[in-house]
Amino acid sequence: MKKFTDADFQTQLGNVIAELEQASQIEIVVLIKQRSANYDDVPMGLAANLSLLTFSILFFIEMGIDDYIIYFATLAAFGLGLLIALALPFVQRLLVGKKRKLRNVEIMARALFQKGGLHHTSTQVGTLIYISLLEKMAYIVSDRGAQMAIPEQQWQIITSNLNNIFKTKNPPESLLKELTKCKETFKQYIPALENNINELPNDLRIDL
Amino acid sequence: MKKILSLFSATVLLLGLIVFSIQDVQARFSGGHSSSSSHSSSSHSYSGSSHSSSWSSHSSSYSSSSSSTGNISLVTFIILIIVVLFIIWIIYKNQPKTMIIRNPNNRFDESQLTIFKQHDANFSRIVFLDFVHLLYVKYYSYYGKKEFSYLTPYLSDSVKKDNMLDLLIGKQVIIIDEIVTNSVRLYSMSSTDTEEVIGVEIESNYSIHPAFYTQDTGKQHSRYVRTERWFFQRNKGLLSPAPETMQALSCPACGAAAHFTDTGECDSCRTVIIKGQQQWYVRDRFVLDQTLLNTGDLVSYSEEQGTNLPSLKSPTLVQEIAGFEKQRVIVWSDYWLTFKQQIVENYFLALNAAWTNHDLTKVRHLVSDRLYEANSFWMALYKQHQWNNRLDDLKIQDVSLIKIELDTYYETITVRIFASCFDYTEDNDHKIIAGSNKKRRAYTEYWTFARRAGVEKTENNFNINSCPQCGASADKMGQAAICDYCGSKISTGNFSWVLFLITQDENYLG
Ligand SMILES: [Zn+2]
Ligand SMILES: [Zn+2]
């Protein structure tokens, strides 16, 4: 199984983007990030809840339990909760609401779009395909020209296809497949012109 | 929400721990009373649990005062919880919300217009905004087509060439159509030693189809809302042309509707037009925002926002009334009564009835072309979704005068209308989708009426159902508001008052 961090995968991704841009006027930048936000409160919250739960159970059961056990079990539960949520990303994904995840992914995508200067193409066709791994979400930000060139329904289909890569066994592979599929759509609606100059670098590094 | 919850649990936990350690003291303090306790050491944990067991079993043993320790710690516990909740509430109450800090001078300063009119007595806001509207619609309709050269004298070189439009329209990627302007308003007026500049803010919406659009792929269209700022410039010291010239967008030199070469030479009179010498031209245009039109917004009824805002009456209203009295040789108080009844109330009820009945033909002659286009569009959109927006039992509570504006060509009166009705949207099966037919909704709107200056018809014998020019029934006005009986164009306000603009109370800036 491929990983998003594999050098091999990244070369392949680069090639797919190059193909895309050869077929269409749309300028694509793909950015993959580990996460869109820190969710610092999630480990704390889980720890606090576990700890409170432990405490309550021990406190309210009628058996005579030693005070020290109650005290240390409560502390231990706190530590355990913290550890679980910090070490296992999927716990964070499960505990964070979908709305909040979507919001963070959107904020990050839009920030990257701005910071990366994707709105600086002269024909306003810059398009960011953003993949956030922790949240398992994809988000597309497209500049005005790209937004208008491709009908809204098509954008929605592309976005939902990209979101679905996380439901497959091999998400990196599926991402490549979906992007290749995009090529046909992009080509249909806004085919490449003769002298198609690539205005955006394909390997964009943006630090936020 | 999640954050509050975890913060809450964390605090409750902390609180639990605090109570836990405090109880040690309490147990000691009340230890003598709770003699029933068999554990002498570590009595705190035991008394706590025994108390709670009676509590959780909901038995009456709680009231049997088995342990006063339990009571005291419970009360402390509850008090502490309340304190903690209060602290949390304080913290979250003071969370910064998104704040928009705008330059308070950002709203259009009406005094700029007054100063401007001192140099150019022929300047008319209504005429100018109509000119802007016309140019805006033609810009997008003609872009990439042969007709675009009609507009050459009115566009700077940078406005004439838009890379994005060149790609999208020029290379036949998309087709833009059904352009409707929702609002066109003055944004700024300024001048240098040699030039005058007017900024205008335009909000519009339009449809986009892929260029290979066919009937079969008919679904493939998206509708966008966009806000733009256009800056118009001309040389200083010019007088505005008459409305008819402003509306023609013809050659500024010979008046012919002509094509122009790239250098700006008129096909008809061979004059090379130098921009800004006779007429306004667009120096810059900026797109501020472009978003997908969310039709769901049409049926999401939010609270009325501006109903209780104070009326933004013109600060110079007294002078404006005096000026109007002088120009029309009338007594304002008498005139206002007639105007309010004959024009404002009649128009308001007739237009809203037309809206509810999905038929604007009967009121076509009462509204300006732009307002008609916009309203027809919204009506069609409702129809397309099979939504019927009804304004039942509409009642006017009050009408107050906001502003009177007089210029060489037009007189306009802006009023604020306070009304209420049962506002709801139902589908074709009369199922209510939004709003309510049981709860009356109160709202206010600013309506601006315009009329060509010097029209001497008295409002007293005005009848909204007949042509103000020939008196025939106003049933054959067509789309363009040209009376079929006498051939007069009515919607320009040349013969009677025309509703020019509707502004929602929360958007009215004066
Ligand atoms: Zn000419
Ligand atoms: Zn007539």
Side-chain angles (χ1 to χ4, degrees):
Chain A
M1 183 177 139
K2 273 200 186 94
K3 276 193 177 149
F4 283 108
T5 44
D6 286 353
D8 177 41
F9 164 75
Q10 291 181 352
T11 327
Q12 278 181 305
L13 182 62
N15 291 339
V16 173
I17 296 170
E19 272 176 51
L20 258 170
E21 293 192 342
Q22 222 155 50
S24 166
Q25 277 300 117
I26 298 276
E27 292 220 27
I28 294 281
V29 172
V30 178
L31 278 167
I32 302 169
K33 262 179 86 84
Q34 276 305 325
R35 49 169 68 221
S36 295
N38 269 328
Y39 308 107
D40 280 335
D41 56 307
V42 172
M44 284 306 275
L46 182 68
N49 279 299
L50 261 185
S51 161
L52 181 67
L53 190 73
T54 312
F55 174 73
S56 310
I57 291 170
L58 293 179
F59 193 89
F60 288 133
I61 51 172
E62 274 187 78
M63 275 182 291
I65 299 167
D66 200 54
D67 293 359
Y68 290 103
I69 295 183
I70 296 184
Y71 180 69
F72 285 111
T74 304
L75 278 190
F78 191 89
L80 186 71
L82 208 61
L83 208 69
I84 289 176
L86 282 177
L88 304 171
F90 82 87
V91 175
Q92 290 185 34
R93 177 163 55 242
L94 287 176
L95 290 177
V96 178
K98 192 175 179 197
K99 248 192 190 157
R100 187 174 160 203
K101 281 187 286 189
L102 191 65
R103 208 175 132 252
N104 284 329
V105 171
E106 180 178 347
I107 290 171
M108 182 55 79
R110 293 195 181 282
L112 290 169
F113 185 88
Q114 285 297 318
K115 189 95 190 283
L118 269 76
H119 53 294
H120 284 316
T121 61
S122 66
T123 49
Q124 304 184 37
V125 288
T127 295
L128 170 70
I129 294 182
Y130 173 61
I131 311 279
S132 194
L133 299 182
L134 176 87
E135 291 85 354
K136 294 201 170 179
M137 282 179 176
Y139 198 89
I140 299 179
V141 186
S142 45
D143 207 352
R144 279 175 202 132
Q147 190 189 23
M148 291 199 288
I150 291 160
E152 179 55 22
Q153 293 100 321
Q154 295 299 328
W155 280 124
Q156 279 170 10
I157 292 169
I158 293 171
T159 308
S160 84
N161 285 346
L162 286 173
N163 271 308
N164 286 336
I165 64 167
F166 291 107
K167 290 183 185 144
T168 63
K169 282 210 175 85
N170 192 341
E173 193 65 52
S174 308
L175 175 63
L176 294 177
K177 231 183 266 165
E178 285 308 328
L179 287 177
T180 315
K181 257 170 48 189
C182 283
K183 191 174 92 178
E184 289 315 305
T185 312
F186 289 175
K187 194 178 163 182
Q188 183 190 7
Y189 288 101
I190 176 167
L193 299 174
E194 293 264 301
N195 47 358
N196 180 3
I197 307 156
N198 197 356
E199 289 183 61
L200 294 173
N202 286 347
D203 58 336
L204 206 57
R205 298 216 181 278
I206 306 162
D207 290 313
L208 273 177
Chain B
M1 197 57 221
K2 206 111 202 172
K3 240 179 171 157
I4 301 176
L5 209 70
S6 41
L7 194 65
F8 172 72
S9 349
T11 342
V12 169
L13 169 80
L14 215 67
L15 194 72
L17 291 173
I18 292 167
V19 171
F20 201 63
S21 50
I22 286 174
Q23 264 191 352
D24 195 26
V25 183
Q26 282 179 337
R28 250 171 255 244
F29 168 68
S30 58
H33 300 279
S34 64
S35 57
S36 64
S37 163
S38 58
H39 294 252
S40 57
S41 70
S42 74
S43 65
H44 47 276
S45 87
Y46 177 75
S47 68
S49 71
S50 79
H51 147 68
S52 78
S53 72
S54 64
W55 181 30
S56 64
S57 66
H58 296 279
S59 71
S60 56
S61 68
Y62 172 65
S63 59
S64 69
S65 74
S66 61
S67 70
S68 55
T69 315
N71 276 338
I72 291 168
S73 64
L74 182 71
V75 169
T76 324
F77 193 74
I78 290 172
I79 290 174
L80 272 170
I81 285 190
I82 291 170
V83 168
V84 168
L85 284 176
F86 181 70
I87 291 167
I88 292 174
W89 179 71
I90 294 276
I91 291 170
Y92 275 83
K93 198 188 71 170
N94 293 332
Q95 282 280 303
K97 297 181 187 88
T98 307
M99 276 184 277
I100 303 167
I101 289 103
R102 260 187 293 207
N103 181 348
N105 303 326
N106 222 354
R107 65 179 259 200
F108 179 66
D109 177 7
E110 293 289 327
S111 67
Q112 288 179 315
L113 182 63
T114 317
I115 296 166
F116 191 90
K117 277 188 192 165
Q118 287 166 3
H119 306 296
D120 178 1
N122 283 356
F123 186 86
S124 162
R125 185 202 312 248
I126 285 207
V127 174
F128 183 76
L129 293 181
D130 248 7
F131 165 76
V132 172
H133 162 78
L134 191 71
L135 203 54
Y136 182 87
V137 172
K138 293 213 157 149
Y139 181 85
Y140 285 107
S141 327
Y142 289 170
Y143 202 98
K145 298 192 185 105
K146 180 167 102 262
E147 292 94 324
F148 197 66
S149 69
Y150 284 130
L151 308 179
T152 307
Y154 298 97
L155 307 172
S156 72
D157 290 343
S158 66
V159 172
K160 226 163 60 184
K161 186 170 166 47
D162 179 296
N163 283 328
M164 184 185 86
L165 294 179
D166 274 346
L167 170 65
L168 295 183
I169 298 175
K171 304 292 176 196
Q172 288 168 5
V173 174
I174 58 164
I175 296 163
I176 296 182
D177 61 10
E178 298 172 304
I179 305 157
V180 172
T181 57
N182 298 335
S183 85
V184 184
R185 59 177 197 86
L186 293 181
Y187 168 75
S188 67
M189 279 182 141
S190 61
S191 64
T192 63
D193 289 344
T194 50
E195 279 127 11
E196 287 163 339
V197 179
I198 300 183
V200 183
E201 206 160 271
I202 307 155
E203 195 200 296
S204 69
N205 62 76
Y206 52 91
S207 285
I208 285 174
H209 311 275
F212 58 81
Y213 164 80
T214 58
Q215 282 302 319
D216 306 332
T217 58
K219 288 252 172 224
Q220 300 270 21
H221 88 118
S222 325
R223 195 142 186 113
Y224 290 91
V225 185
R226 105 189 332 230
T227 313
E228 291 186 42
R229 242 171 238 167
W230 283 29
F231 289 89
F232 290 79
Q233 184 172 312
R234 71 173 187 191
N235 292 355
K236 204 163 183 169
L238 296 179
L239 268 184
S240 291
E244 288 68 28
T245 314
M246 289 287 273
Q247 275 300 304
L249 284 191
S250 50
C251 168
C254 69
H259 288 281
F260 294 84
T261 63
D262 255 1
T263 50
E265 189 188 291
C266 169
D267 252 7
S268 178
C269 67
R270 298 284 151 210
T271 317
V272 176
I273 305 298
I274 297 163
K275 283 160 202 162
Q277 228 171 35
Q278 292 108 334
Q279 239 315 5
W280 296 100
Y281 72 98
V282 190
R283 191 194 64 192
D284 294 303
R285 57 180 271 272
F286 302 100
V287 180
L288 302 184
D289 184 45
Q290 173 188 298
T291 44
L292 208 66
L293 177 72
N294 184 1
T295 48
D297 285 352
L298 289 181
V299 286
S300 76
Y301 279 53
S302 50
E303 279 293 301
E304 283 288 335
Q305 291 172 38
T307 311
N308 296 319
L309 292 176
S311 292
L312 282 173
K313 288 195 180 181
S314 165
T316 51
L317 191 57
V318 179
Q319 291 96 300
E320 290 163 14
I321 292 175
F324 190 73
E325 280 184 318
K326 200 172 140 209
Q327 178 156 326
R328 299 289 300 273
V329 204
I330 43 111
V331 177
W332 174 253
S333 51
D334 298 342
Y335 184 83
W336 172 239
L337 272 180
T338 321
F339 182 78
K340 203 159 78 169
Q341 282 167 11
Q342 291 292 323
I343 307 297
V344 181
E345 294 183 1
N346 274 341
Y347 277 44
F348 188 78
L349 295 173
L351 288 170
N352 281 303
W355 172 262
T356 301
N357 298 326
H358 313 284
D359 184 10
L360 295 182
T361 52
K362 274 189 187 157
V363 292
R364 176 61 192 94
H365 60 298
L366 304 181
V367 296
S368 72
D369 290 357
R370 196 142 51 80
L371 202 61
Y372 175 73
E373 278 164 27
N375 274 291
S376 311
F377 162 73
W378 293 112
M379 192 177 272
L381 200 65
Y382 272 101
K383 198 172 177 183
Q384 191 188 325
H385 287 88
Q386 308 197 317
W387 292 331
N388 305 304
N389 180 214
R390 301 193 60 89
L391 309 166
D392 286 355
D393 195 28
L394 183 64
K395 286 201 175 97
I396 301 172
Q397 263 80 39
D398 194 18
V399 177
S400 60
L401 178 69
I402 300 297
K403 188 167 81 178
I404 301 175
E405 192 173 332
L406 303 175
D407 59 51
T408 311
Y409 298 108
Y410 280 93
E411 42 198 41
T412 64
I413 298 182
T414 301
V415 298
R416 185 181 187 188
I417 303 173
F418 297 78
S420 70
C421 67
F422 297 102
D423 180 356
Y424 59 97
T425 302
E426 55 181 25
D427 62 16
N428 278 354
D429 303 325
H430 299 292
K431 189 177 151 258
I432 294 181
I433 305 164
S436 166
N437 61 356
K438 302 206 167 55
K439 196 173 161 240
R440 197 164 255 283
R441 187 176 169 97
Y443 66 100
T444 81
E445 281 173 344
Y446 287 84
W447 282 36
T448 301
F449 296 87
R451 187 168 78 162
R452 194 70 187 250
V455 176
E456 289 301 340
K457 286 233 164 57
T458 56
E459 284 74 6
N460 269 324
N461 357 340
F462 179 73
N463 180 349
I464 57 166
N465 295 319
S466 53
C467 168
Q469 168 64 353
C470 67
S473 168
D475 53 357
K476 287 187 177 172
M477 289 290 173
Q479 293 278 316
I482 294 170
C483 172
D484 211 31
Y485 302 102
C486 65
S488 314
K489 181 154 176 76
I490 309 300
S491 57
T492 49
N494 279 4
F495 307 101
S496 68
W497 291 101
V498 161
L499 178 64
F500 191 75
L501 195 67
I502 299 174
T503 316
Q504 295 307 310
D505 40 23
E506 67 268 24
N507 297 334
Y508 187 77
L509 296 173

